[in-house]
Every structure is written in C-alpha cells, then in structure tokens.
Amino acid sequence: LYISTDSTLAMAGQAEKLAEQLNYTKGIINAQIRRGNVFQIRAELIKTLTSYQSALKLAEQINDTVSIARITGNMGLLYSAM
C-alpha cells in the first residue's frame, strides 16, 4: 500500500508534472488516479471525486478504455461506501 500519504501525493504531483512536460496523457491519468486513491484513504471525498473525474475526462479524450474501467470502478466503490 502506501508508506505515507504525504509522500505519495508529492510523488504523484512530480509524476504529473513530468508527464505534462512529455505530453504523456496516460502518465497524467495515472498520477491523477493515484492522487484520488490517496484522498480516498484520507476520506477527503470531494478531492477524491475531483481527481477521478479529471482523470476520467482525459481517459475518455484518448479512448483509454483500461483507465476508464479503473476510474469508474474506483468511483463506484467510493459511491457504494458513502
């Protein structure tokens, strides 16, 4: 799992910046999913949904069906836990 949610958020931010510099959309998506996972662990539900929704929008733009499935599954688990 995660050693520290703070360090995981920092690494996700670094990964997203690098992916943006490289114009690597899948990397941006993965960083946003990871950020959403951390927020979910922290029970920060609005931030969780915001991260997942942002990732989902990008995944839909590039028709990344694997990421779409991961994100919608994560969102479904979040909603079911509410």
Side-chain angles (χ1 to χ4, degrees):
L1 218 55
Y2 303 102
I3 295 170
S4 162
T5 57
D6 290 334
S7 62
T8 303
L9 278 179
M11 286 186 268
Q14 291 173 357
E16 187 171 9
K17 285 181 186 176
L18 180 58
E20 287 172 351
Q21 291 171 356
L22 297 171
N23 198 30
Y24 180 51
T25 305
K26 286 187 179 190
I28 297 169
I29 292 166
N30 286 329
Q32 291 175 348
I33 291 170
R34 190 78 56 225
R35 183 179 295 121
N37 292 345
V38 170
F39 289 138
Q40 187 169 4
I41 290 168
R42 291 182 171 185
E44 297 180 41
L45 303 183
I46 299 299
K47 289 181 180 180
T48 302
L49 285 175
T50 300
S51 295
Y52 288 160
Q53 289 169 339
S54 179
L56 182 59
K57 182 177 178 181
L58 287 175
E60 289 173 339
Q61 287 174 359
I62 65 168
N63 197 33
D64 180 357
T65 55
V66 172
S67 292
I68 291 169
R70 285 178 55 204
I71 298 161
T72 54
N74 288 353
M75 291 173 79
L77 290 171
L78 179 65
Y79 282 121
S80 70
M82 295 172 103

